[in-house]
Amino acid sequence: MTGENKFFKYLKIGIGFFVALLFLMPIFILVMDSFKNQKGILTDVLGWPNPFIFDNYPKAIEKMNFFNSLWNSVWITVVSTGLIVLFASMAAWVLVRYKTKMSKFMFILFSVALLIPFQCVMLPLMSVMGSREVMSFTLGEYTISLNGLNILNPGGLVFAYIGFGSSMAIMLYHGFIKSVPEELEEAAMIDGCSMFKTFWKIVFPLLSPITTTVAILQIMWIWNDYLLPSLVLKNQSWYTLPLQTSKFFSTFTSSWDVATAALILTMLPVIIFYIVAQKKIIKGVVDGAIK
């Protein structure tokens, strides 16, 4: 290896180390602050805890009803991600394999949906989801009536996540399915497989790399989401972990000592999940990117 190659090698390592340090520094500061009292954080936010305060974590667990909120976050994330993967993979397969004017129109519709910010549909969505009454509006000569869904609950939140998360998932699946040979499906159908069986026995197992990528993106989004649960979940017993952290902040005062511990507890399950499934996550992301 020449001297120039060694220089660029060490330069890349140095840049990578510096970027990693930038990403990890806020988390390190958060961990340090979680072992300080309120005065210690306000006087020296970057300093080492002196003394170490271990009471913040038990207080945070009690105040945020941690285990109930953890269960809410886990089941909402798992169910939402599972249904998005299920519906998006099937929808993308149909859009790729059955090429009609309607399928092209539907694909364009899903593509355009990615460009619409959530804030644009937030108020009308909440009006429909939270109302029991019949809503009527006039469109030219016609009067259209809608029944309110009244689904301001965890089930309604899962329903909303499916709607908002499916567009991107379908786009990712759509591009990947184009690389799957149609001959495999034709051979399965000749052997007597139904359309449903062909998808689940032949196509879906081949989608495992992009399924991993889609699942990771959805899990990270749903687990960390605050805005949509804050609008949909009205009962505190339904609150997710990100939503429970708002208990430590008010208009005039903020309990930063306990709040930092609560934020660490909120991040911990995702970190553990990544450590346990690290090899599969990296393999899925790389394979999906190559395809």
Side-chain angles (χ1 to χ4, degrees):
M1 184 180 290
T2 64
E4 185 177 354
N5 290 335
K6 285 185 177 180
F7 171 76
F8 283 109
K9 176 184 177 182
Y10 291 126
L11 179 63
K12 291 177 182 178
I13 294 173
I15 294 174
F17 180 79
F18 177 72
V19 172
L21 192 64
L22 286 178
F23 276 94
L24 292 175
M25 185 58 68
I27 299 176
F28 175 76
I29 295 172
L30 190 65
V31 172
M32 289 298 99
D33 287 347
S34 69
F35 292 103
K36 298 177 184 178
N37 54 27
Q38 184 84 340
K39 181 180 178 181
I41 294 175
L42 296 177
T43 55
D44 187 10
V45 69
L46 300 177
W48 197 263
N50 186 23
F52 274 84
I53 306 296
F54 295 96
D55 292 340
N56 293 337
Y57 285 91
K59 290 179 181 177
I61 290 173
E62 180 182 359
K63 188 170 182 179
M64 69 190 302
N65 197 5
F66 176 74
F67 295 105
N68 180 68
S69 302
L70 175 63
W71 167 247
N72 291 338
S73 289
V74 167
W75 88 259
I76 288 173
T77 302
V78 170
V79 172
S80 300
T81 302
L83 291 175
I84 289 172
V85 167
L86 173 66
F87 295 144
S89 59
M90 291 192 296
W93 182 60
V94 171
L95 291 175
V96 172
R97 292 294 185 248
Y98 298 89
K99 297 176 182 178
T100 63
K101 291 183 179 180
M102 180 56 68
S103 66
K104 291 180 181 179
F105 172 76
M106 292 299 297
F107 181 70
I108 293 172
L109 198 63
F110 283 120
S111 303
V112 172
L114 288 173
L115 306 176
I116 302 175
F118 170 71
Q119 290 78 5
C120 293
V121 298
M122 181 172 62
L123 293 179
L125 177 68
M126 291 304 104
S127 298
V128 174
M129 290 180 66
S131 176
R132 287 179 179 272
E133 300 176 358
V134 176
M135 295 175 290
S136 301
F137 58 93
T138 303
L139 186 63
E141 300 178 355
Y142 303 96
T143 300
I144 301 175
S145 299
L146 294 174
N147 287 319
L149 298 177
N150 189 33
I151 50 175
L152 297 182
N153 52 53
L157 182 59
V158 171
F159 178 76
Y161 278 137
I162 294 171
F164 287 111
S166 292
S167 295
M168 184 183 67
I170 288 173
M171 293 284 291
L172 294 173
Y173 274 117
H174 192 277
F176 192 92
I177 290 172
K178 288 180 179 178
S179 65
V180 177
E182 290 187 53
E183 290 77 8
L184 295 174
E185 302 167 31
E186 292 172 356
M189 290 183 178
I190 291 173
D191 289 340
C193 286
S194 63
M195 180 180 176
F196 183 81
K197 194 173 182 179
T198 299
F199 176 77
W200 284 111
K201 296 292 185 179
I202 306 298
V203 179
F204 191 73
L206 298 175
L207 303 181
S208 56
I210 196 65
T211 297
T212 304
T213 303
V214 170
I216 293 167
L217 294 174
Q218 300 299 333
I219 287 171
M220 297 301 295
W221 163 53
I222 295 171
W223 184 272
N224 295 313
D225 188 32
Y226 174 84
L227 180 57
L228 191 54
S230 67
L231 295 171
V232 176
L233 302 179
K234 299 304 180 182
N235 192 326
Q236 287 195 7
S237 63
W238 299 334
Y239 279 10
T240 59
L241 284 174
L243 206 55
Q244 286 284 15
T245 57
S246 62
K247 285 187 174 183
F248 304 101
F249 304 97
S250 62
T251 306
F252 302 103
T253 58
S254 298
S255 302
W256 287 105
D257 50 347
V258 185
T260 51
L263 292 170
I264 294 295
L265 290 171
T266 303
M267 293 189 300
L268 199 57
V270 177
I271 295 173
I272 294 173
F273 165 75
Y274 178 79
I275 293 173
V276 171
Q278 183 178 6
K279 290 183 180 180
K280 290 185 178 180
I281 291 173
I282 294 174
K283 185 179 184 300
V285 172
V286 172
D287 290 348
I290 292 174
K291 285 287 186 178

